[in-house]
């Protein structure tokens, strides 16, 4: 890949812009803010979301995913206590975001506290708390389109149900006979455990936590941005029966991920002891990033 410019590394003014775009595409009734209250960009050449997806769809190749896994799944970048890692994530906060003035830690606490208030199991609460930790990839120099964005399988034909599918015309895998057929390198209903997903914070955190959390939590973490499947059912031909059953948990998690933003800040000092105990119950003392 050629050397990227600063604009190609960070086409979005904030990572939250991508989440706002998802909300505008998949609104649900009863949310605190109507979709028209979130930032809306005209569909023109200066639209940062459009530019983000142009880059994402151009560079998210099968080879890119294998290279990123080889690099980041060594977990040799940093090691620190989990709570410290959550605070480290705070350096991603964007003060220009007009929708919310909370930092990343406070937003994640809002998500997990909403889950806890609804009486879900404590591992579900913990999943809500840590689910965006993989965004630290930005702090390791990864471009935004290798960190956030709708996720999708690589190594097979890109679905037209993925947002801005026309941008896959610039992806070299679209012309590679190994990868451009319906199944590509996969087989019918082979199961998602055998499928490589586009690289980003979901996939990264899945590999960090896969030895510690219940399988339901791992599906939530790994596939919560896989909108072309859990909203559009575009990849049923790759999912097996177990995947279909486990995606019920992804559907349970999704509303908390998208719709828990609120300007009311949680009191971090009051919540910290509970979450430190919860982390200690399920996770090792430190996280290797």
């Amino acid at each position: 890949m050629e050397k990227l410019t600063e604009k190609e590394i960070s086409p979005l003014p904030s990572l939250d812009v991508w989440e706002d775009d998802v909300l505008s595409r998949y609104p649900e009734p009863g949310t605190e803010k109507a979709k028209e209250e979130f930032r809306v960009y005209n569909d023109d050449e200066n639209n940062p979301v459009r530019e983000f997806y142009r880059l994402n769809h151009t560079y998210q190749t099968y080879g890119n995913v294998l290279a990123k896994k080889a690099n980041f799944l060594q977990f040799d970048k940093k090691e620190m206590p989990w709570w410290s890692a959550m605070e480290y994530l705070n350096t991603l906060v964007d003060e220009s975001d007009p929708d919310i003035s909370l930092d990343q830690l406070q937003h994640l606490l809002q998500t997990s506290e909403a889950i806890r208030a609804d009486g879900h199991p404590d591992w579900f609460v913990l999943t809500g708390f840590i689910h965006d930790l993989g965004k630290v990839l930005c702090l390791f120099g990864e471009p935004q389109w290798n960190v956030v964005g709708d996720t999708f399988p690589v190594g097979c034909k890109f679905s037209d149900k993925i947002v801005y599918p026309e941008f896959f015309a610039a992806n070299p895998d679209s012309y590679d006979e190994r990868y451009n057929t319906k199944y590509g390198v996969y087989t019918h209903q082979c199961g998602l455990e055998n499928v490589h997903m586009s690289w980003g914070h979901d996939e990264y955190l899945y590999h960090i936590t896969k030895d510690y959390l219940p399988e339901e939590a791992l599906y939530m973490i790994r596939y919560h941005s896989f909108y072309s499947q859990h909203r559009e059912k575009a990849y049923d031909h790759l999912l097996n029966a177990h995947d279909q059953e486990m995606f019920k948990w992804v559907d349970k998690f999704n509303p908390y991920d998208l719709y828990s933003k609120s300007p009311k800040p949680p009191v971090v000092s009051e919540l910290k002891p509970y979450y430190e105990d919860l982390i200690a119950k399920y996770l090792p003392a430190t996280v290797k990033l």
Side-chain angles (χ1 to χ4, degrees), residues 94-287:
D94 175 32
E95 295 179 356
S96 70
D97 184 349
D99 292 330
I100 190 167
S101 60
L102 306 185
D103 59 34
Q104 295 287 318
L105 177 58
Q106 289 174 313
H107 170 54
L108 289 171
L109 284 170
Q110 284 190 332
T111 301
S112 57
E113 284 296 286
I115 294 169
R116 181 157 68 133
D118 284 348
H120 290 295
D122 60 0
W123 56 261
F124 194 156
V125 178
L126 178 60
T127 300
F129 180 56
I130 67 171
H131 78 277
D132 274 347
L133 180 60
K135 290 179 181 178
V136 298
L137 286 168
C138 276
L139 302 175
F140 299 148
E142 281 298 276
Q144 290 173 343
W145 45 264
N146 250 345
V147 178
V148 297
D150 296 34
T151 58
F152 45 84
V154 295
C156 61
K157 184 178 180 180
F158 301 113
S159 170
D160 61 5
K161 299 297 185 183
I162 303 169
V163 62
Y164 290 116
E166 65 271 21
F167 289 139
F168 286 114
N171 188 307
D173 286 1
S174 294
Y175 308 97
D176 191 317
E177 293 181 354
R178 294 172 296 175
Y179 310 133
N180 65 1
T181 62
K182 180 178 180 179
Y183 291 99
V185 300
Y186 312 116
T187 57
H188 184 65
Q189 295 181 343
C190 61
L192 288 176
E193 72 272 16
N194 298 306
V195 173
H196 290 284
M197 298 296 292
S198 54
W199 180 249
H201 73 287
D202 316 58
E203 186 70 11
Y204 180 48
L205 185 63
Y206 161 75
H207 285 281
I208 291 173
T209 59
K210 67 180 182 179
D211 293 331
Y212 308 110
L213 295 179
E215 187 181 19
E216 296 88 345
L218 298 177
Y219 265 78
M220 294 174 184
I221 288 169
R222 195 177 198 181
Y223 302 115
H224 69 270
S225 303
F226 189 9
Y227 294 104
S228 58
Q229 176 56 34
H230 62 78
R231 294 301 185 103
E232 307 290 348
K233 309 302 181 187
Y235 288 95
D236 277 347
H237 56 287
L238 296 182
L239 274 65
N240 59 26
H242 184 65
D243 293 324
Q244 295 285 2
E245 185 65 24
M246 296 303 292
F247 259 64
K248 295 177 182 178
W249 289 97
V250 180
D251 292 337
K252 288 182 181 181
F253 176 76
N254 187 254
Y256 297 106
D257 181 36
L258 288 182
Y259 308 115
S260 61
K261 271 189 175 182
S262 169
K264 183 180 179 181
V267 182
V268 175
S269 60
E270 293 179 1
L271 295 173
K272 183 176 180 180
Y274 169 80
Y275 283 96
E276 287 191 315
D277 287 345
L278 193 54
I279 288 167
K281 179 178 178 179
Y282 288 98
L283 300 170
T286 60
V287 55

